[in-house]
Every structure is written in structure tokens, then in C-alpha cells.
Amino acid sequence: MRVHVHSESGRRIISYFKEVYNHKFLDDRLTCMLSGHRKMDAVAVEQMNMMLKVGIKTQQIYSPFVHTIEGFQNVPFLKRDIYNQIGKQRRLRVFEFEDH
């Protein structure tokens, strides 16, 4: 793609475009690792919170999701997302505590 700016109007003009995809697509088994495809829904968050309440350690929480859904490629989030969710909940609790 080649783009230039028209000197009078300041508008961008595409002067050349080649519609060819120049790299391989990601294997379908790995798309779950793309950030746009990862999400912990409300049910997963609740299950994670229940596991934390009964004393399951954070690093051990991902495994039951993998076994239940039969493979990490079927889990719509990564272990890192569990840590991020826990951190988010902690920050929200601190924020709520400071507001009162």
C-alpha cells in the first residue's frame, strides 16, 4: 500500500494497493492465544473465585478448566488471564474500600 497526503486538502490518498496476503495464517489450534480471542466469561470468573475460596492455589486453577474442556486449545483464556482477573478484582476491592 502506498499512501500520500494531498498538499492542498491534507487528505490521505491511496495511490497503490496490492491485495495479496503475504504471510501464513495462524493455525486454528493457536487462535485461542490471540489477545482478541481471550476472555474469561462470568461463569469462569465465578468458578475461579470458588476455587480460590476453597483454598486452591492460583497456579493450580487453570488445570481444572483444561481438563473439563478437554485441552488448553479449547479454554478461551490463558493462565495469565487468571492472574490478571485476580489482580483486577483486588484493585476493585481496594478502590471500593477507599471510596467509603
Side-chain angles (χ1 to χ4, degrees), residues 74-86:
N74 299 322
V75 180
F77 53 88
L78 300 174
K79 186 183 281 192
R80 180 78 245 156
D81 298 321
I82 291 173
Y83 284 94
N84 291 342
Q85 181 64 36
I86 291 169

Side-chain angles (χ1 to χ4, degrees), residues 88-100:
K88 179 180 176 182
Q89 290 178 2
R90 286 181 182 150
R91 286 189 300 278
L92 285 173
R93 275 188 241 124
V94 169
F95 180 73
E96 289 171 358
F97 182 71
E98 290 174 352
D99 280 348
H100 293 291

Side-chain angles (χ1 to χ4, degrees), residues 2-15:
R2 187 175 305 133
V3 179
H4 72 274
V5 179
H6 189 268
S7 59
E8 293 177 18
S9 67
R11 298 181 88 179
R12 291 167 184 83
I13 299 171
I14 298 173
S15 59

Side-chain angles (χ1 to χ4, degrees), residues 26 30-38:
L26 185 63
L30 302 174
T31 57
C32 63
M33 296 185 175
L34 295 171
S35 60
H37 292 244
R38 294 181 358 224

Side-chain angles (χ1 to χ4, degrees), residues 6-97:
H6 189 268
S7 59
E8 293 177 18
S9 67
R11 298 181 88 179
R12 291 167 184 83
I13 299 171
I14 298 173
S15 59
Y16 172 77
F17 180 79
K18 187 174 182 181
E19 192 174 343
V20 175
Y21 202 74
N22 63 0
H23 59 279
K24 294 179 184 178
F25 287 109
L26 185 63
D27 188 326
D28 287 340
R29 295 175 299 124
L30 302 174
T31 57
C32 63
M33 296 185 175
L34 295 171
S35 60
H37 292 244
R38 294 181 358 224
K39 185 173 191 293
M40 286 189 78
D41 63 11
V43 173
V45 171
E46 184 60 31
Q47 287 176 333
M48 176 199 72
N49 287 331
M50 294 302 289
M51 288 185 233
L52 288 169
K53 285 179 185 177
V54 299
I56 298 174
K57 295 180 181 178
T58 305
Q59 64 265 26
Q60 297 170 330
I61 290 176
Y62 190 68
S63 183
F65 286 106
V66 171
H67 293 297
T68 301
I69 303 177
E70 298 179 357
F72 77 91
Q73 70 277 8
N74 299 322
V75 180
F77 53 88
L78 300 174
K79 186 183 281 192
R80 180 78 245 156
D81 298 321
I82 291 173
Y83 284 94
N84 291 342
Q85 181 64 36
I86 291 169
K88 179 180 176 182
Q89 290 178 2
R90 286 181 182 150
R91 286 189 300 278
L92 285 173
R93 275 188 241 124
V94 169
F95 180 73
E96 289 171 358
F97 182 71

